[in-house]
Structure formats: structure tokens, C-alpha cells
Amino acid sequence: MVGWTNSRFGFITQHPNAQALRMRILIFEPDYGGHRLNYVQHMALAFKGLPVEVVVALGSNAPGTSEYAAHVTDLGDQVLWDTSMEPLPSRTLDYAVQSAARLRGAIARHRPDRLYVPYTDGVGQVLGLRRSMGLPTVPRNVVTEGLSLRGTFCYPQSNKKQALKARLLWEAAKRARWDVFHLLDPVVYEYVARHDPRLMRRIRLMPDPVENTPVIDRIAARRELGIPEDGRYIGVVGLIDLRKGCDLLIRAFAAAPLNPTDRLLLAGRQDVEIRDLLAEEPYAGLVKSGRIQCINRMIPTEQMSTAIGASDMMATFYPRHIGSASIAICAAAGHRPVLAGNYGWLGLIVPRFQLGWTTDVLDAAGLPKVLAQTLDKAGGYVSSALTQRYVSYNSLDNFKAHWTAALRDTLGVPQSPDLQTWQSISESQA
């Protein structure tokens, strides 16, 4: 260790010989799925340029994956990529337990001064339980920062048993020793601010990082995708599945009082349930006639902005979804409104930052009419200054700035000029 310690007040104190020392930080990510390696890559880039040594611990099954090829690039000799960890078991309780064990192993191998965990859900609960039982977790001389993506406990639950389970998981997560505990979901952040002010001393809200989405001309985007250039489009991009409420959207589109040239664009790989639904009538007929345009393959990041640009309005239904739906931010960056479900993150963010409109997507009888009405309003939608401030808050640069903020304070170096806090964005609504 190089001598960076915790003060008894929970802040980070600077070693008197700090300028002569070099701090080692460890980024721990045993899984490669979803956005995980994307987060890791941007975190490693954020720390590059600061006087630190960066070690990234990944699972041994990460190299060779498409995610690894897409996100892990050579960052020079400042970053050491450790891919020695054994792959984790399936996503069960054993997954979280083994993840915590691998975390402790990585700390023992690399003896970091600071630990960064970009996905604490699961491993954080195990660490909290171990700490409650007096079992070893993370050494006290290691400064810790972790990011929790979800917080089911503050969302409506289907029954008392599920509510109790969600509450117990949150209590375990709180007991993990995170010196800085980042949250991705503002629903959770604002709930904690109201109900647990003591915890707020170590809570920070992290931006949901989205790639730059350029504003693209509709006709040019449609021409690039090879779809009909006339009419109006309701778009969905990414995985086309039930989780996003794509089945609800398809049924509503088929029943909506729309113009003959109004179309539904499904840009992304379809899961089996959606493929089966589109094979049924009347939906199969809409596909055949071109009213439903399907691009049934994985859409690269750079083409997502093209699909957004081709659309007049994006549909982000996400019934009963826990956590953020970043495609709504991408749509806002591309100056396209969304029609979103009124539940959870979407129900909070879309009206607050003027990203579009919300509705009860489970109202099967009323949804077709709402779909038609909002498509009519989409033609007059103008992205507001408030919307674009929210987009700026969720930039990759601000994501990087948040991960380095506490470290910069410790090092005594200026904060990143890209740093924007949630408070500054919330206050801009006044």
C-alpha cells in the first residue's frame, strides 16, 4: 500500500508525501454481459492521465467475446488487464457469493489503494451480510466506490412477501462498506434522500452514460436503412422483446386509428415471443404490406442513432421496468420524443425533463387512441433547453467525471470541467 487512509469521519485523507507516491486502483468486473465492459472501458479511460496505476480484473471468459472486442482497447502500460478469474456460475445466489469471493481474491492479488465496482447488485448484498456477521469483506485501508443499478425496494411490489424481500436486499446492500455509494436510478436516489438522510452522506447519483446521438434528417436516415421514406414512423431500437413491451406496442399499433403511410419500425433482434406474434394475423399482414418494418438483427451502436433519426417518435413502453431505460435519453439526444410507460424511471424522468409523454401501457383498450394522438403531437415536438441539459448530464464525459471526483479530491487536483451534478440539473427546472 502507498499510504492512503480513511479518516475517522469517513473522508479520504491525503498522505503527507502524496506527490512522491503512486496510487493503485482496482476496477472489478467478473461479468462481461450487457453494458458491463462498456462501463469498465470508460472508467479506465477516465482514470488515464491521473497519477495512478489502474488494474482491471475480468473473468477469464471475457477475452474472445464480442463485448470484449467492442469495448476493451489498448490503453497503454498504465492499465493492467487481469483476466485470471474463473467464470462465475449462473445468476443465482451462488453467482453473488462467488463474485464476492473473487473480489476478495483480486484485492489480495493486487493490493489496491482504491476499489471500484461498477455493478454492485448481488455482490454488494453478500458483502453487507458478511460484514453483519463479522466475516472478512474488504480491508479497511482500501477506499471503496460501487455503483448500484437498481433498487427494487422503492418500487411497488406485487405482494408483501416480495416487498419484504426487496427491503431486506436493500438493507444488506447498505451494510456493505462503500465509502462512496453511487446510484444509477434517480427514483432510488430521491427515495433515499427523503427517508434515509444519514445514508446520503456517502450516496451519489451517477449519470446513465449514453453515446453521442447526432440529430439526423429523417429522410436520409430512412434511405440509409433501406425503408420507405414517406409517412410517419413510431420506432423501437435494440432488443425487440416483451421486457420493452413490444408486444403491447404491436397490438396497439394494429388497432390504432392511423394513416395508411404510418409505420412501426422494429430495429433490432426479435426474441421468440415477438417473432411468433408477428407471424399471427393481423400482424403478419402488416409486416407483409410494409406497415410494420422489421430489421431483425443486432443493431450496432452507430446505427441506433440512424434508427432514432428515421422515426418521428420512439416508443419506450417498458411495463413494470425497474431502473433506467437509456434509449429514452438517446432519443432525447436525437431530438425525438418518446411515448413511455408511466411506471418507475420513465414515469419520473420523461415528464420532468420534457422527453415526451407517458401513458398506462397496460390499458389495452385506451392505448391505440393514445398512440395515434401522441404521433400527431410528435410532429410539433421541439426539444427544450431543459431536455438538452438532461442529455448533457448523461454524457460519457460526465460519467467519467463522477467516477474520478472523489479521487481528484484525494489527489488535490481540480475536478473535471465536465462534472455536472444531479442537483445542478434538478435546480435548472426552477
Side-chain angles (χ1 to χ4, degrees), residues 27-162:
I27 302 172
F28 174 81
E29 181 48 84
D31 200 347
Y32 62 83
H35 297 285
R36 291 174 184 252
L37 293 188
N38 190 31
Y39 276 22
V40 165
Q41 172 73 0
H42 290 304
M43 290 169 68
L45 286 169
F47 293 120
K48 190 175 183 181
L50 293 174
V52 295
E53 296 175 344
V54 182
V55 180
V56 180
L58 305 176
S60 61
N61 57 343
T65 65
S66 58
E67 291 87 353
Y68 188 91
H71 300 302
V72 176
T73 60
D74 182 15
L75 296 175
D77 57 7
Q78 189 177 6
V79 177
L80 169 65
W81 297 93
D82 173 5
T83 58
S84 64
M85 287 190 296
E86 292 185 8
L88 290 169
S90 60
R91 284 177 169 80
T92 62
L93 175 60
D94 191 46
Y95 174 93
V97 171
Q98 292 300 319
S99 183
R102 285 158 176 70
L103 172 61
R104 293 176 58 230
I107 292 171
R109 284 195 304 279
H110 298 291
R111 302 182 66 208
D113 303 287
R114 299 181 74 102
L115 169 69
Y116 294 86
V117 181
Y119 190 89
T120 66
D121 303 73
V123 65
Q125 280 81 358
V126 173
L127 292 175
L129 289 172
R130 289 183 64 88
R131 188 181 181 203
S132 298
M133 294 186 290
L135 298 173
T137 56
V138 177
R140 286 297 308 175
N141 59 350
V142 178
V143 179
T144 59
E145 295 194 35
L147 171 63
S148 174
L149 273 63
R150 296 177 180 84
T152 307
F153 73 98
C154 65
Y155 282 73
Q157 301 297 312
S158 56
N159 54 59
K160 291 182 178 179
K161 181 178 179 181
Q162 290 299 319

Side-chain angles (χ1 to χ4, degrees), residues 46 396-405 408 415-416 418-419:
L396 290 175
D397 287 336
N398 196 31
F399 178 75
K400 296 174 185 177
H402 273 69
W403 277 116
T404 64
R408 287 173 180 270
Q415 289 296 328
S416 166
D418 299 308
L419 182 64

Side-chain angles (χ1 to χ4, degrees), residues 225 227 233-251 253 263-271 274 278 292-299 303-319 325 327-328 330-331 336-340 371:
L225 293 175
I227 60 178
Y233 278 81
I234 301 166
V236 182
V237 63
L239 185 61
I240 310 298
D241 61 2
L242 302 182
R243 179 182 62 89
K244 292 183 177 180
C246 293
D247 57 325
L248 306 176
L249 174 61
I250 292 167
R251 291 189 173 96
F253 177 81
R263 299 182 178 91
L264 176 61
L265 172 63
L266 303 177
R269 190 174 63 246
Q270 299 168 6
D271 70 3
I274 297 300
L278 290 174
I292 297 180
Q293 292 286 318
C294 298
I295 305 175
N296 187 11
R297 56 175 171 79
M298 190 178 78
I299 303 296
Q303 287 188 6
M304 291 182 70
S305 57
T306 306
I308 291 170
S311 304
D312 296 88
M313 178 179 78
M314 301 298 292
T316 56
F317 283 7
Y318 290 75
I327 190 62
C330 295
R336 298 296 188 266
V338 299
L339 175 60
L371 195 65

